[in-house]
Amino acid sequence: MLYFFKILLLLINIDQETILKWFGVESPTSKTILTNNVTLSNIEVQTGSPISFETLRLIVEGLWERVQDGLTLADIENLLFFILFLRFIILAIRYNLKTSVYITCIGLFAGYLWYRHLIDLISMYRSILIKLPYLHKLGIDAVQLRSMSRQMVLTDLKLGDNVHWYNPGQLIYYAFTKSIIKTDSETGLRYYIDPVSMIISNLKESDKLNILPIYYKIYNKIIPQAFEAVSKFWAQLSGIAAYAVITRIGKRYCPYLVRWHWTFLLIIGFIEQILVYFVYRVSYFQAAVLIPQTQVSSNFVDQTLILQVNALNGLIAFIISIHLGLIFFGLFHAIWGQYFYFPFLVENTELHIGPRPKNSIYSGGNTAWQDEKNKNIQRFFPKFWYGWFGSGKTNNLKILQPFQRFIANILKYLRKQFRR
């Protein structure tokens, strides 16, 4: 059994220092000593501190200090991968190594869908996020990602640089391109070392005169133009095409958790467009109408205009915070292999993919609303909360129950009025 855990943990000594280094938190057992203007760092006072509640306290304090001035994509990724690793260990102990790998990979794929959607959102909100106090680092990350992608499209100088794990297609493309192109360090010329180019280089000089013009035309004009056209076409249809192939054609091999979260993301995309363009219009109204009016006269400033600008700033910050907060909510549910309930959207999602199979450990967590539907429990007013991770039963939020009863009574009263 001990050898099993050594293989499972890849011979890594999991102690307090290892966990803290993962999160980038300074360990209390390390000191920085200054002697004769020479810095000696990372001198361990004691090694191999065991994991305890003190470790959790240090992680919370260290992360709180890091995120006080803003949240970054790197912080989100570190937290997500730590959750995946923790879940992998728990599942390996509960089931076995093979089952743990399968369930963790399913959660990783579902979380990847939400994370890609999060990056798309912060890319759309990037010019506004930079102005918000706590989310400005996310806006900076979005601007950097956009500028990097443009630079890689316009220039092909450094193949493979700044390619991230969440772009597998781009990663494969640059790996293939890097493997067939070799650049001479002295002359700066590039040579193709793929099989076709190597065959042509070994031809006779008389044959090269006829073949080389066609070869260069294909490699330098036809292939790049075709790749650019296919890339633009794929960029427009890749999401729907991948969804249709994986969740529809390959439904038998696609886990229910992935199908559920992917379908939910496609459905909320139609609603999110309304929020995004509403924020755009409000921001444009501020920049093009209100702010120029406040700068017309330096002697007199209309306080009502200032009030309108501040009110719209608060509205924009509120909408973006709620929007991104809901995406984070779905992201962490997907990583944990869980479901959540949201009226109307969840019902439409499950109309497409059906109920969760209860006899499979790979289908994810609880869906209490489906259990109520199977028991033919009729509700006039839909519940807004089915417990943490959709567990239902006694985990309902008691705060929302009076609100639900109040709305239900109003709807019943209106229904009686119309029946008269």
Side-chain angles (χ1 to χ4, degrees):
M1 193 67 181
L2 294 177
Y3 290 103
F4 167 78
F5 280 104
K6 285 186 178 182
I7 296 174
L8 177 65
L9 302 178
L10 303 178
L11 299 179
I12 299 175
N13 184 22
I14 304 299
D15 52 16
Q16 178 172 289
E17 284 69 28
T18 306
I19 301 297
L20 294 179
K21 287 179 181 178
W22 174 278
F23 286 98
V25 179
E26 184 178 358
S27 175
T29 60
S30 62
K31 292 184 179 180
T32 300
I33 304 174
L34 298 177
T35 306
N36 298 326
N37 296 327
V38 178
T39 303
L40 302 177
S41 61
N42 296 329
I43 297 180
E44 300 286 342
V45 177
Q46 59 180 16
T47 59
S49 302
I51 300 176
S52 61
F53 288 104
E54 180 69 15
T55 306
L56 179 61
R57 185 186 66 81
L58 292 173
I59 291 174
V60 173
E61 292 179 354
L63 292 178
W64 176 248
E65 291 178 359
R66 289 182 57 182
V67 302
Q68 278 183 343
D69 58 342
L71 194 65
T72 64
L73 286 176
D75 296 331
I76 299 172
E77 291 179 6
N78 289 336
L79 182 58
L80 292 178
F81 281 112
F82 180 76
I83 291 175
L84 282 172
F85 178 75
L86 183 64
R87 188 166 183 249
F88 172 79
I89 299 300
I90 295 173
L91 292 173
I93 297 173
R94 182 178 179 182
Y95 300 108
N96 53 64
L97 186 59
K98 179 181 176 181
T99 304
S100 177
V101 171
Y102 287 163
I103 297 178
T104 304
C105 289
I106 292 171
L108 174 62
F109 191 86
Y112 165 80
L113 298 173
W114 283 94
Y115 189 73
R116 285 293 307 173
H117 188 68
L118 175 65
I119 292 177
D120 293 338
L121 281 183
I122 65 174
S123 297
M124 289 187 286
Y125 285 137
R126 63 187 182 279
S127 59
I128 304 174
L129 289 175
I130 294 177
K131 303 175 185 178
L132 298 179
Y134 187 74
L135 301 176
H136 68 281
K137 286 188 176 181
L138 281 178
I140 294 173
D141 288 342
V143 172
Q144 291 177 349
L145 287 175
R146 189 173 181 84
S147 62
M148 289 176 185
S149 61
R150 284 185 175 181
Q151 184 179 2
M152 286 188 289
V153 170
L154 298 176
T155 62
D156 198 20
L157 298 177
K158 296 181 179 180
L159 297 175
D161 287 357
N162 300 316
V163 178
H164 296 277
W165 62 271
Y166 46 78
N167 285 324
Q170 194 179 58
L171 187 64
I172 295 173
Y173 165 72
Y174 280 109
F176 177 75
T177 308
K178 190 74 174 178
S179 64
I180 67 172
I181 297 178
K182 183 178 181 181
T183 304
D184 192 345
S185 59
E186 296 181 357
T187 61
L189 298 176
R190 295 196 298 179
Y191 302 95
Y192 295 101
I193 57 175
D194 60 284
V196 177
S197 301
M198 296 175 69
I199 292 173
I200 292 177
S201 64
N202 292 324
L203 294 176
K204 298 179 181 180
E205 294 297 331
S206 59
D207 297 333
K208 287 183 180 180
L209 294 176
N210 297 325
I211 297 177
L212 282 179
I214 302 174
Y215 166 78
Y216 284 118
K217 185 175 182 179
I218 293 174
Y219 267 69
N220 296 332
K221 291 185 178 180
I222 296 178
I223 293 179
Q225 291 177 1
F227 179 78
E228 184 179 359
V230 171
S231 298
K232 291 181 179 180
F233 180 77
W234 179 251
Q236 298 294 326
L237 297 178
S238 59
I240 300 298
Y243 173 80
V245 171
I246 296 176
T247 65
R248 294 295 185 180
I249 300 176
K251 177 181 178 180
R252 180 180 178 182
Y253 307 101
C254 184
Y256 182 83
L257 180 75
V258 175
R259 290 188 283 123
W260 193 94
H261 284 279
W262 204 340
T263 307
F264 188 87
L265 280 170
L266 288 179
I267 291 176
I268 66 173
F270 298 101
I271 302 175
E272 285 180 323
Q273 295 299 318
I274 301 174
L275 290 176
V276 172
Y277 285 107
F278 176 76
V279 171
Y280 282 172
R281 293 175 69 88
V282 171
S283 179
Y284 178 79
F285 177 71
Q286 273 188 317
V289 178
L290 294 181
I291 294 179
Q293 291 181 8
T294 60
Q295 299 173 351
V296 171
S297 176
S298 59
N299 297 327
F300 174 75
V301 177
D302 192 351
Q303 295 299 323
T304 57
L305 293 176
I306 301 298
L307 181 61
Q308 292 179 33
V309 172
N310 294 332
L312 291 179
N313 284 333
L315 178 62
I316 291 174
F318 176 76
I319 292 176
I320 292 179
S321 300
I322 293 296
H323 193 182
L324 295 182
L326 292 175
I327 299 302
F328 281 120
F329 184 77
L331 171 60
F332 286 107
H333 273 75
I335 287 291
W336 280 110
Q338 302 292 332
Y339 304 93
F340 57 91
Y341 181 78
F342 198 87
F344 179 73
L345 297 178
V346 169
E347 282 83 356
N348 281 272
T349 298
E350 293 171 354
L351 283 175
H352 287 276
I353 62 174
R356 179 178 66 89
K358 303 295 193 301
N359 57 352
S360 175
I361 60 175
Y362 303 108
S363 62
N366 300 307
T367 49
W369 51 92
Q370 293 183 9
D371 298 336
E372 288 190 358
K373 188 175 181 180
N374 293 333
K375 295 177 182 178
N376 295 322
I377 299 178
Q378 300 294 331
R379 289 186 177 275
F380 176 73
F381 186 75
K383 292 172 63 176
F384 284 95
W385 183 258
Y386 276 87
W388 295 107
F389 300 121
S391 57
K393 296 182 180 180
T394 59
N395 294 325
N396 295 333
L397 277 180
K398 295 182 180 180
I399 300 176
L400 295 179
Q401 290 179 358
F403 176 74
Q404 292 181 1
R405 287 195 296 268
F406 176 73
I407 299 296
N409 292 333
I410 293 177
L411 294 176
K412 289 179 181 179
Y413 175 77
L414 294 176
R415 186 176 61 176
K416 290 180 180 179
Q417 296 298 321
F418 282 107
R419 286 181 176 179
R420 291 181 180 180

